[in-house]
Amino acid sequence: MNEFRPIPPLPHRVMPVFLALSLVLSLVLICAMASRADAAEPQPGNYAKRADVAAFAADAAKKTGVPLAEIQQWLDDAKYQSSIVEAMNRPAESKTWAQYRPIFITPKRIADGVVFWNKYAADLNAISQKYHVNPAIIVAIVGVETFYGQRMGNYRVIDALATLGFDYPKRGAFFRGQLMDFFTLAAKEHIDMNDALGSYAGAMGMPQFIPSSYLALAVDGDGDGKRDLWHSDADVFASVANYFAEHGWVKGGPVGFEVEVKNTAQVADYLNAARDLKPKVTVGQLRQWGIALPKDLYLPDSEKVMLFTLTGPDGVAYWVGLNNFYVITRYNHSTLYAMAVWQLSQAITAARAAVASTEAQARPAE
């Protein structure tokens, strides 16, 4: 009969050695797992050596018709920019209206808008008549986007789109699509990748068109056979006007108005917020809810409108956005942006009229 004998405990001198070995083995295992994870997830940048970038390049060459060698060369040269990702994570549109408005509705931006409009009045009037888009809106778009061409961005577009397409997972698919369109655009318009500068989001030129908008909606306004949104004022004005016309702008039409909402719970499910901007409430519903509408506007009950809030210095205000307001949101999907463009256009129009009146009064009588 075998006698059961318990395993004697390890000598006290052996215990520290045993624990040290266990710790070493654990660290080795953790490092191995980390290395495996690193291998599975590419590090930011280093686009010349990444399998996901190579696969994209092959797909882009097939879909765009641009030679693979050219696409690969552009991507190999692209540089990851951490500041772009940081900027994407703190957009101006995350602010309240009280914070956002003072960025764009300033005395200098209004005064410079008057000067800009007067300088290009002949071109703006001709384009306005052709596309049926108010000159004030064209001027305000350029004023909000790039301060009338003074701030068109300092990032290489290829760097911005590569950074966001391959190293910004939240919207990577969208920016890879824009990158593919940029290859097509560069080949079509003979754009030098090294010279093409834009915003941190890859928007280009005075009106800040993203590549898909540039391809689809930019116009050769000066007839030189090229659509140049960096250097041709005529191309810029015609392109902005065409953008608005294609999205249904009605020249001289109303844009929006503030309303008083007494029963806020009643309208809560119908509010437009964030990127949910499609009109979903009718004028008839507003009337049924007892919301007073401007008496000088013809608004049929069946017309769908936007209903949204803006938080200003005095609290929350309710606004109704009509067709033209919705069209402005097609340029940038934000009620804050659309309101800034509209109010800047109104301020520039009023200031320009005041300047014209002052100049007329100062002229000697004939």
Side-chain angles (χ1 to χ4, degrees), residues 80-97:
Y80 171 78
Q81 302 284 354
S82 61
S83 57
I84 288 176
V85 175
E86 292 166 7
M88 287 294 291
N89 288 329
R90 46 176 169 77
E93 282 71 24
S94 63
K95 300 178 184 296
T96 66
W97 177 238

Side-chain angles (χ1 to χ4, degrees), residues 11 15 23 28 31 73 137 143 157 224 233 241 262 284 301 312 321 327 339 341 361:
M15 285 295 289
L23 181 59
V28 169
C31 290
Q73 183 179 358
I137 284 292
V157 176
D224 68 351
D233 301 308
K262 295 177 181 177
D301 284 347
V327 171
M339 186 62 74
V341 167
Q361 292 175 9

Side-chain angles (χ1 to χ4, degrees), residues 81 83-84 150-157 159-160 194-200 203 208 230:
Q81 302 284 354
S83 57
I84 288 176
Q150 297 176 50
R151 305 169 184 170
M152 291 190 281
N154 297 313
Y155 289 104
R156 288 199 315 165
V157 176
D159 292 341
N194 289 317
D195 292 338
L197 302 181
S199 74
Y200 64 81
Q208 295 288 275
W230 283 276

